[in-house]
Amino acid sequence: AQSMETLSSLNKPDARGMASATQKHLDGPALPHLGHFPLGRGGMANAGSARLALVPVLTPPITGTDTAPDDDGQRQQYLIVPNERRIVVRSAHHGRRVCELTASSDGVDGELKDVTVRTVSLAWLAPPADETVDGDDGEGSDFGESSSRGEHVVLAGYSDGTLREWPVADIASPKSGRPGGLASRRVFRLGCGMMRTVDLVHLSTPIADADVSARMSPRGGAAVYAWIKGLVGKKMTTACLGRVSIPAFSEDGPGGPVKLEADELVTRETVSSKTPAEERAEKEREHVCLRKHDDVIHLVSSHRQPRKGDGGILERYNLEDGGAPRGEVHVVMVASHGLVFYRDTLDGGGKRRQGEETCRLVHYSRVLKTSQHYSTEQSAFSAVSVSPDTADLALGRANGHIELLVGVFENNSSYLDGLDGGGGSSSAPARHPEEVTVRRTMHWHAHPVRTLAYVSSGGRRGAPPTLVSGGEESVLVTWQLERNHHRPSDFVARVGRGGIVRLIPCPDTGRTFVFCADNSVQCYDSTSSERSWCVQGVASMALHEEGTDDGKPKGLDRGPVVVVRDPITNYPMMTNLPGAPGMVHWYDPKSSSVVGTLEVAPYNRVSRRDPLTDPHVPAPTVTHMAVGDSGRDMVTVDEVWSENTSVGAPRELTGPGGDAFGMSVCTSVKFWSHSGSSSSSGGGRERKRRAGDLPMDYELVSSMAAPHGRGGGVCALAVAPGGGAACTLSREEDAYRLWTKIDPSDENGTMWQCSYRVKTPSGFSNSLLSAAPASLGQRQLVRFSNDGSVLAVCYGAHVTLWDHSSATLLNDLALDQSDDGVRSVEFSTKSDDTLLVSTAGALGALSPFGGVKSCYLGGDEWTFDVAGMGATIAAVVPLGDFGTSPGGCFAVAANHDGTSTVSVVDRAGASVAEDEDSNPIQWRLGSEVQSMSVDHGKGRGLRLLVITKDSDLISLSYGDSKQARKDESMPKRFIEKNAPLLQIGQPRVEPGTKRRKVSILTNTSRSDAEQSASIFDFPERLSSRFTASFITKG
């Protein structure tokens, strides 16, 4: 078969447009994949330090004309949640998605391509002194009012060196809900010194308080600190700490990008253990000195308020004098194996003080290694947090320790003052702050500390803040620092299915927002430790301890996410989710959240051993799932890894050192039955729903371990439409098994049993071993016909049809001129049981009878090739009742060069379906598709759900889903009662006739006379049940 012109646009949309097809991003990873600790000699630099800079931001309470208080009368707050591709805004009061901050702005740069989000920060833009409203000190102002009072803005740095701005007040306005999202208000294009290119890696604003910001920036705007990388010359890469002065917003400002020059404060220098002490000390006075493979992974800036000395305010921080300095800002730069402080002071004009200070940097070296029992990699820093009063610094380590530096900022200031000659008349040299700073070490975590945060005590005045920590254990740990204890004071266990990634405290309400690796966001009360709400997104990204730096499972071929529509709730069911191992999720596209869960394979979520020597034990996976048409019966297949090599199939895991460790994989098939509404389970389930846990009403009725023998796995699963039969296929056993449901009795209830096993027929031996691997895309190697009487089983490049009531082989089919292994087989529609067969590079429609002359079965067969166009078929899904074509339609996703095109194909016409204006119904995606399912398809309305390899969930819509289907009479030749009757047991009329291979470039239309004269070409052995699937009795 050759490529057909009408289908050549499967991987390239037609130039005429894409009809009324639209796409919408529903969900995706809330935060980027952070990798795992430790990462060898390179430390966290190998994971990409930019990912750690994408920290969620909590906005201040907003009140304005467009903002209404919530049910509790509180002002609205929002969570700014960034990842590398988009910035999502969620409500801090219920967690639901509000809008998206887009990089494009009207008339500026258009849509950005190949540009990623680097870092996000919140800043207060102070108005110029001559424009400040009289009597307004900036405190308690309504941020939705005039900009002359100042305003809070969200700043985001991009990989192309631009800095973009969104007013916080606009998030609450009606325009934020527009389909295109909220566009940036201003775009700044940064330059820094001699750098030819600028890459903003980290961004930090020292203060977001209106009063202090006005003092720090009397000329208006805001001062932002950034860790900047760039090229000097053609190949030389450099990095520096810079300060950017953001000007105040003006309606009369320029409409295009504004050029800003960042002040280069200090640059980076590379040192090693062999660097002489004198040379190292000299470099540390002027540069940020780090190891060769190390890089800054955390950048935190904090404004330090003036301190009272012995009987009065220190003269150095007198804010009443107009020409006196405006306090000081401490910038903390944390690398995997480095800790550097930078102190910056501002004069009355908002500029750096020149000529008074000769040193602004303080390097710490003793805290880099905890003890001799831990290696350098285990002692690497992994988290940082500054106390609200800018007094103490908390550091998390890869070995689970928490290091608390008490009074470190005061000691740094005293040390720098002594070097500058401000320490008095004493001639004694200033002592390094590392010698006088008190270090407190706390330890509870068994794995790296992912995040730290200081949390206020529920708004109580005078109460000292507490420190909370989280990590891979998924336990929220609270430390009461004022008690001087080295043990935690409180625990909240099982916070999420994955580890805790970020903690964002709310100083006004005492709440803590917890971001977990399973893509869930939760809100906890800091005083009672009770959960207020929980929003679970699609967990399509691997857990941080399990995946590699790009977020994919390491060394495991788990296949795509399985998506099945639940007939009872009409919600998509998702499993084989990398971020929710062993779970099935029910997802609501309207609310963009998970509304139900089912734990199929429980396991110990903290099973990781020594990461330096032993491999990580993979989490269990639900590899297959299928449900009947009624939704009452569901079958799942899961795989659980075990260290017990006497059970399951033998496997090997490679450790960090390259050593192989013997493991085993236990495969189980489980049968579930819908138990009814949640009210039947009592009040306990209702309480779980209110708390955020969403168990679904399925109970396990039967389970069998190793269904295909100890060493046999399951590569395919299908359930009959009636739900009374299921089929599993195994490569290792080289056989398939049929499972049937036993009628329930009063004693035992519903049970399942294995009716028989069928070994691979002669001629198809070893064909299963050549089938497509899971990594190529969505697979379906076993499928029941629409009435459940016929079973299709794929062996390599062949599709065999079976009468499963008697285990009888009926026929075998294959795509023309294709030797590739079949990846999926689907029965088209209930009125036309044509098989849709796809390989990696070909797609075809085959008659199950093996003949090409039957007009009743949909006319001629066709096959087309996409491999010649450089594309691969990722998924094929029948569309059921969508469209008016007699043969039905189906959706096909073709991946090509990192992109994907999803097309609706007319089965009978063998062409891409078109709308009334002759525009093809297609969608072009910027990422490759791994899974696809139908969310709604009836009449002229269609909605598809697609999961990309970038772990994004996208909705593809066409037409109006509420529009009634247009009545169109079928041609007489397609009416079932006009179909010829088949004489069972009679020999074929033309036993030697071969199927006519129809080229997809030829005209398949025939005259009515030719069609009426056509005959059926059936195999000799057909059961009555098989025939009833296609032929109506006379």
Side-chain angles (χ1 to χ4, degrees), residues 231-258:
L231 289 177
V232 177
K234 295 183 179 181
K235 297 182 179 180
M236 183 178 178
T237 304
T238 184
C240 72
L241 175 66
R243 189 180 68 180
V244 183
S245 297
I246 307 296
F249 175 73
S250 175
E251 296 290 348
D252 300 331
V258 180

mmCIF file of all heavy atoms in Angstrom, residues 231-258:
data_model
loop_
_atom_site.group_PDB
_atom_site.id
_atom_site.type_symbol
_atom_site.label_atom_id
_atom_site.label_comp_id
_atom_site.label_asym_id
_atom_site.label_seq_id
_atom_site.Cartn_x
_atom_site.Cartn_y
_atom_site.Cartn_z
ATOM 1 N N LEU A 231 26.987 34.061 27.900
ATOM 2 C CA LEU A 231 28.190 33.811 27.119
ATOM 3 C C LEU A 231 28.990 35.092 26.976
ATOM 4 O O LEU A 231 28.447 36.153 26.650
ATOM 5 C CB LEU A 231 27.828 33.279 25.731
ATOM 6 C CG LEU A 231 27.265 31.852 25.653
ATOM 7 C CD1 LEU A 231 26.883 31.522 24.219
ATOM 8 C CD2 LEU A 231 28.283 30.845 26.183
ATOM 9 N N VAL A 232 30.273 34.978 27.222
ATOM 10 C CA VAL A 232 31.210 36.067 26.990
ATOM 11 C C VAL A 232 32.147 35.601 25.879
ATOM 12 O O VAL A 232 32.919 34.670 26.054
ATOM 13 C CB VAL A 232 32.003 36.415 28.259
ATOM 14 C CG1 VAL A 232 33.021 37.515 27.949
ATOM 15 C CG2 VAL A 232 31.060 36.851 29.363
ATOM 16 N N GLY A 233 32.050 36.228 24.738
ATOM 17 C CA GLY A 233 32.779 35.737 23.577
ATOM 18 C C GLY A 233 31.943 34.684 22.866
ATOM 19 O O GLY A 233 30.715 34.719 22.857
ATOM 20 N N LYS A 234 32.610 33.701 22.292
ATOM 21 C CA LYS A 234 31.905 32.687 21.526
ATOM 22 C C LYS A 234 31.577 31.437 22.337
ATOM 23 O O LYS A 234 30.540 30.820 22.147
ATOM 24 C CB LYS A 234 32.737 32.293 20.297
ATOM 25 C CG LYS A 234 32.919 33.429 19.290
ATOM 26 C CD LYS A 234 33.693 32.944 18.075
ATOM 27 C CE LYS A 234 33.845 34.068 17.052
ATOM 28 N NZ LYS A 234 34.588 33.612 15.852
ATOM 29 N N LYS A 235 32.476 31.039 23.255
ATOM 30 C CA LYS A 235 32.288 29.781 23.965
ATOM 31 C C LYS A 235 32.351 29.921 25.478
ATOM 32 O O LYS A 235 31.855 29.063 26.188
ATOM 33 C CB LYS A 235 33.347 28.754 23.520
ATOM 34 C CG LYS A 235 33.266 28.384 22.048
ATOM 35 C CD LYS A 235 34.313 27.330 21.708
ATOM 36 C CE LYS A 235 34.214 26.937 20.239
ATOM 37 N NZ LYS A 235 35.216 25.905 19.876
ATOM 38 N N MET A 236 32.924 30.956 25.983
ATOM 39 C CA MET A 236 33.143 31.081 27.420
ATOM 40 C C MET A 236 31.834 31.401 28.133
ATOM 41 O O MET A 236 31.129 32.347 27.784
ATOM 42 C CB MET A 236 34.176 32.178 27.705
ATOM 43 C CG MET A 236 34.516 32.314 29.169
ATOM 44 S SD MET A 236 35.791 33.573 29.447
ATOM 45 C CE MET A 236 35.914 33.523 31.221
ATOM 46 N N THR A 237 31.495 30.607 29.134
ATOM 47 C CA THR A 237 30.284 30.786 29.926
ATOM 48 C C THR A 237 30.642 31.385 31.270
ATOM 49 O O THR A 237 31.602 30.955 31.920
ATOM 50 C CB THR A 237 29.561 29.450 30.135
ATOM 51 O OG1 THR A 237 29.282 28.861 28.864
ATOM 52 C CG2 THR A 237 28.267 29.640 30.899
ATOM 53 N N THR A 238 29.888 32.350 31.694
ATOM 54 C CA THR A 238 30.123 32.991 32.974
ATOM 55 C C THR A 238 28.810 33.124 33.726
ATOM 56 O O THR A 238 27.728 32.959 33.151
ATOM 57 C CB THR A 238 30.754 34.383 32.788
ATOM 58 O OG1 THR A 238 31.065 34.932 34.064
ATOM 59 C CG2 THR A 238 29.792 35.307 32.071
ATOM 60 N N ALA A 239 28.895 33.393 35.015
ATOM 61 C CA ALA A 239 27.720 33.563 35.858
ATOM 62 C C ALA A 239 28.014 34.647 36.877
ATOM 63 O O ALA A 239 29.172 34.865 37.279
ATOM 64 C CB ALA A 239 27.353 32.257 36.561
ATOM 65 N N CYS A 240 26.994 35.334 37.307
ATOM 66 C CA CYS A 240 27.176 36.416 38.253
ATOM 67 C C CYS A 240 25.897 36.647 39.035
ATOM 68 O O CYS A 240 24.810 36.204 38.638
ATOM 69 C CB CYS A 240 27.594 37.709 37.549
ATOM 70 S SG CYS A 240 26.276 38.484 36.585
ATOM 71 N N LEU A 241 26.013 37.329 40.151
ATOM 72 C CA LEU A 241 24.875 37.814 40.911
ATOM 73 C C LEU A 241 24.607 39.245 40.472
ATOM 74 O O LEU A 241 25.484 40.113 40.550
ATOM 75 C CB LEU A 241 25.159 37.754 42.412
ATOM 76 C CG LEU A 241 24.083 38.360 43.322
ATOM 77 C CD1 LEU A 241 22.798 37.566 43.246
ATOM 78 C CD2 LEU A 241 24.579 38.445 44.766
ATOM 79 N N GLY A 242 23.400 39.496 39.987
ATOM 80 C CA GLY A 242 23.058 40.822 39.491
ATOM 81 C C GLY A 242 21.858 41.395 40.211
ATOM 82 O O GLY A 242 21.087 40.681 40.854
ATOM 83 N N ARG A 243 21.732 42.701 40.092
ATOM 84 C CA ARG A 243 20.583 43.387 40.659
ATOM 85 C C ARG A 243 19.902 44.185 39.561
ATOM 86 O O ARG A 243 20.544 44.941 38.825
ATOM 87 C CB ARG A 243 20.990 44.307 41.802
ATOM 88 C CG ARG A 243 19.780 44.872 42.561
ATOM 89 C CD ARG A 243 20.214 45.769 43.694
ATOM 90 N NE ARG A 243 20.835 47.003 43.192
ATOM 91 C CZ ARG A 243 21.305 47.968 43.981
ATOM 92 N NH1 ARG A 243 21.260 47.810 45.285
ATOM 93 N NH2 ARG A 243 21.834 49.049 43.456
ATOM 94 N N VAL A 244 18.576 43.993 39.456
ATOM 95 C CA VAL A 244 17.783 44.631 38.411
ATOM 96 C C VAL A 244 16.811 45.595 39.066
ATOM 97 O O VAL A 244 16.097 45.225 40.004
ATOM 98 C CB VAL A 244 17.012 43.588 37.576
ATOM 99 C CG1 VAL A 244 16.255 44.262 36.442
ATOM 100 C CG2 VAL A 244 17.957 42.525 37.034
ATOM 101 N N SER A 245 16.790 46.806 38.597
ATOM 102 C CA SER A 245 15.862 47.824 39.097
ATOM 103 C C SER A 245 14.671 47.903 38.160
ATOM 104 O O SER A 245 14.778 48.365 37.016
ATOM 105 C CB SER A 245 16.561 49.187 39.194
ATOM 106 O OG SER A 245 17.619 49.137 40.130
ATOM 107 N N ILE A 246 13.528 47.412 38.639
ATOM 108 C CA ILE A 246 12.307 47.422 37.842
ATOM 109 C C ILE A 246 11.639 48.785 37.999
ATOM 110 O O ILE A 246 11.317 49.199 39.118
ATOM 111 C CB ILE A 246 11.351 46.308 38.287
ATOM 112 C CG1 ILE A 246 12.071 44.958 38.283
ATOM 113 C CG2 ILE A 246 10.116 46.274 37.404
ATOM 114 C CD1 ILE A 246 12.520 44.514 36.931
ATOM 115 N N PRO A 247 11.410 49.525 36.921
ATOM 116 C CA PRO A 247 10.786 50.845 37.054
ATOM 117 C C PRO A 247 9.298 50.723 37.376
ATOM 118 O O PRO A 247 8.658 49.707 37.101
ATOM 119 C CB PRO A 247 11.011 51.476 35.677
ATOM 120 C CG PRO A 247 11.094 50.305 34.745
ATOM 121 C CD PRO A 247 11.745 49.196 35.520
ATOM 122 N N ALA A 248 8.765 51.771 37.970
ATOM 123 C CA ALA A 248 7.337 51.818 38.244
ATOM 124 C C ALA A 248 6.555 51.862 36.942
ATOM 125 O O ALA A 248 7.026 52.367 35.919
ATOM 126 C CB ALA A 248 7.007 53.026 39.118
ATOM 127 N N PHE A 249 5.344 51.324 36.975
ATOM 128 C CA PHE A 249 4.529 51.256 35.765
ATOM 129 C C PHE A 249 3.916 52.613 35.460
ATOM 130 O O PHE A 249 3.495 53.348 36.356
ATOM 131 C CB PHE A 249 3.420 50.222 35.933
ATOM 132 C CG PHE A 249 2.474 50.167 34.783
ATOM 133 C CD1 PHE A 249 2.863 49.615 33.569
ATOM 134 C CD2 PHE A 249 1.191 50.692 34.894
ATOM 135 C CE1 PHE A 249 1.993 49.564 32.492
ATOM 136 C CE2 PHE A 249 0.318 50.648 33.825
ATOM 137 C CZ PHE A 249 0.719 50.082 32.618
ATOM 138 N N SER A 250 3.885 52.912 34.175
ATOM 139 C CA SER A 250 3.274 54.148 33.715
ATOM 140 C C SER A 250 2.438 53.857 32.483
ATOM 141 O O SER A 250 2.865 53.098 31.600
ATOM 142 C CB SER A 250 4.337 55.210 33.382
ATOM 143 O OG SER A 250 3.744 56.363 32.832
ATOM 144 N N GLU A 251 1.237 54.422 32.436
ATOM 145 C CA GLU A 251 0.374 54.228 31.282
ATOM 146 C C GLU A 251 0.976 54.810 30.011
ATOM 147 O O GLU A 251 0.657 54.388 28.904
ATOM 148 C CB GLU A 251 -0.986 54.876 31.540
ATOM 149 C CG GLU A 251 -1.771 54.251 32.671
ATOM 150 C CD GLU A 251 -2.283 52.862 32.329
ATOM 151 O OE1 GLU A 251 -2.214 52.500 31.132
ATOM 152 O OE2 GLU A 251 -2.738 52.153 33.229
ATOM 153 N N ASP A 252 1.855 55.797 30.171
ATOM 154 C CA ASP A 252 2.481 56.442 29.020
ATOM 155 C C ASP A 252 3.792 55.784 28.624
ATOM 156 O O ASP A 252 4.546 56.324 27.815
ATOM 157 C CB ASP A 252 2.741 57.924 29.327
ATOM 158 C CG ASP A 252 1.455 58.673 29.642
ATOM 159 O OD1 ASP A 252 0.406 58.266 29.124
ATOM 160 O OD2 ASP A 252 1.523 59.642 30.431
ATOM 161 N N GLY A 253 4.095 54.627 29.221
ATOM 162 C CA GLY A 253 5.352 53.966 28.923
ATOM 163 C C GLY A 253 5.379 53.379 27.530
ATOM 164 O O GLY A 253 4.361 53.330 26.823
ATOM 165 N N PRO A 254 6.539 52.903 27.086
ATOM 166 C CA PRO A 254 6.657 52.332 25.742
ATOM 167 C C PRO A 254 5.847 51.048 25.624
ATOM 168 O O PRO A 254 5.667 50.304 26.592
ATOM 169 C CB PRO A 254 8.162 52.068 25.597
ATOM 170 C CG PRO A 254 8.656 51.948 27.003
ATOM 171 C CD PRO A 254 7.811 52.869 27.824
ATOM 172 N N GLY A 255 5.368 50.781 24.413
ATOM 173 C CA GLY A 255 4.551 49.607 24.186
ATOM 174 C C GLY A 255 5.346 48.340 23.941
ATOM 175 O O GLY A 255 4.840 47.249 24.143
ATOM 176 N N GLY A 256 6.581 48.457 23.493
ATOM 177 C CA GLY A 256 7.393 47.293 23.205
ATOM 178 C C GLY A 256 8.249 46.892 24.382
ATOM 179 O O GLY A 256 8.128 47.410 25.488
ATOM 180 N N PRO A 257 9.141 45.927 24.174
ATOM 181 C CA PRO A 257 10.044 45.506 25.242
ATOM 182 C C PRO A 257 10.926 46.650 25.730
ATOM 183 O O PRO A 257 11.412 47.469 24.947
ATOM 184 C CB PRO A 257 10.878 44.404 24.574
ATOM 185 C CG PRO A 257 10.059 43.941 23.415
ATOM 186 C CD PRO A 257 9.310 45.132 22.947
ATOM 187 N N VAL A 258 11.137 46.695 27.032
ATOM 188 C CA VAL A 258 11.959 47.722 27.663
ATOM 189 C C VAL A 258 13.318 47.123 27.984
ATOM 190 O O VAL A 258 13.413 46.056 28.590
ATOM 191 C CB VAL A 258 11.290 48.249 28.947
ATOM 192 C CG1 VAL A 258 12.154 49.316 29.598
ATOM 193 C CG2 VAL A 258 9.902 48.793 28.627
#
